Amino acid sequence: MLVMESFISGADGVMVGACLKGECHYSIGNLQAEGKVEVTKRVLRRMGLSPDRLVMRMMSSAQGGKFVEYVSGFQEDIAQLGPLGVSEGVTGDDLKLRLTAAMNAVSDKKLRWVEGKWLEFQEEGNLYGERFTLHELGRMYEEVVLDECALQEIRLRLEEKAQTALALSHLVRMPAYKVLRHLADLRRMGHAVLGATA
């Protein structure tokens, strides 16, 4: 959530610093943070923004030189990308709406639950003891992120004004049949979608 707040406040990029693996004061806090960063990068990509605007670097407190190297490299990368949204072609009110939808998505209990399972699914597995590779987790998370972000963006766009499903499909960058499915989901969840028409 803090990462998205930074982007909403105008940051062009965010670097998350964490302890080295196996050296975190909070046991597995850095590994849990890794899952949160991975999900947030997928949210950024879904919203049409470069996921390279968010990085996580692990280092120890004794690695001052490494910290400087990471920060300098990240600053150069962000300078290459330019201001948030400009190189991606997402600016003004559209950028603000997408960032708000992204913030709503990462704040929602569904994505928070998914973030919390990132490490568990790798190390302990699911209810049946099946462990997932990073590739498998990535595919599964991608679907959840896509759905939640689209749902939040559709809801915000309908709050702005009435839209047809076809118009929404262009705005949220997905086929109209998927938009219709999300509209039905919003209705089931009790959200007012009276502005939406087929």
Side-chain angles (χ1 to χ4, degrees):
M1 222 158 72
L2 290 174
V3 169
M4 289 312 308
E5 285 176 2
S6 299
F7 285 121
I8 287 172
S9 297
D12 295 321
V14 176
M15 185 180 94
V16 176
C19 303
L20 294 169
K21 291 185 178 181
E23 295 183 13
C24 184
H25 178 73
Y26 298 99
S27 180
I28 57 169
N30 54 348
L31 302 179
Q32 291 169 328
E34 195 173 33
K36 291 177 186 291
V37 167
E38 183 59 36
V39 169
T40 306
K41 286 172 79 81
R42 291 170 189 278
V43 168
L44 288 173
R45 185 182 304 114
R46 171 62 184 90
M47 291 305 176
L49 301 168
S50 173
D52 296 335
R53 293 186 178 278
L54 172 61
V55 299
M56 180 171 170
R57 300 289 184 250
M58 293 183 175
M59 68 205 95
S60 77
S61 59
Q63 293 179 304
K66 186 65 79 176
F67 176 75
V68 171
E69 177 189 325
Y70 285 151
V71 170
S72 299
F74 184 60
Q75 189 173 12
E76 288 172 17
D77 293 344
I78 294 302
Q80 289 276 329
L81 284 170
L84 180 66
V86 173
S87 63
E88 297 98 336
V90 184
T91 56
D93 290 340
D94 192 36
L95 175 63
K96 184 178 177 184
L97 185 140
R98 290 189 196 190
L99 288 173
T100 302
M103 178 69 169
N104 292 347
V106 298
S107 302
D108 188 75
K109 61 184 175 189
K110 185 187 296 182
L111 279 192
R112 287 199 329 260
W113 181 86
V114 164
E115 288 170 352
K117 294 294 182 181
W118 181 263
L119 185 60
E120 183 182 327
F121 283 166
Q122 286 178 70
E123 295 188 348
E124 298 170 28
N126 62 16
L127 187 61
Y128 305 102
E130 301 165 321
R131 287 191 290 190
F132 297 88
T133 65
L134 283 177
H135 178 70
E136 290 170 326
L137 274 174
R139 283 194 347 242
M140 179 174 66
Y141 277 51
E142 193 73 25
E143 198 62 36
V144 176
V145 166
L146 289 175
D147 275 356
E148 193 57 34
C149 289
L151 203 64
Q152 295 296 337
E153 189 175 355
I154 288 168
R155 189 179 59 75
L156 287 176
R157 290 193 183 278
L158 287 174
E159 285 176 6
E160 279 189 336
K161 67 175 187 174
Q163 305 270 1
T164 64
L166 185 59
L168 282 168
S169 76
H170 294 298
L171 291 169
V172 300
R173 307 156 311 282
M174 68 173 15
Y177 75 90
K178 288 189 176 181
V179 170
L180 286 169
R181 190 188 77 207
H182 287 304
L183 291 172
D185 288 344
L186 284 167
R187 281 195 181 103
R188 261 194 308 278
M189 291 186 287
H191 292 284
V193 290
L194 300 176
T197 58

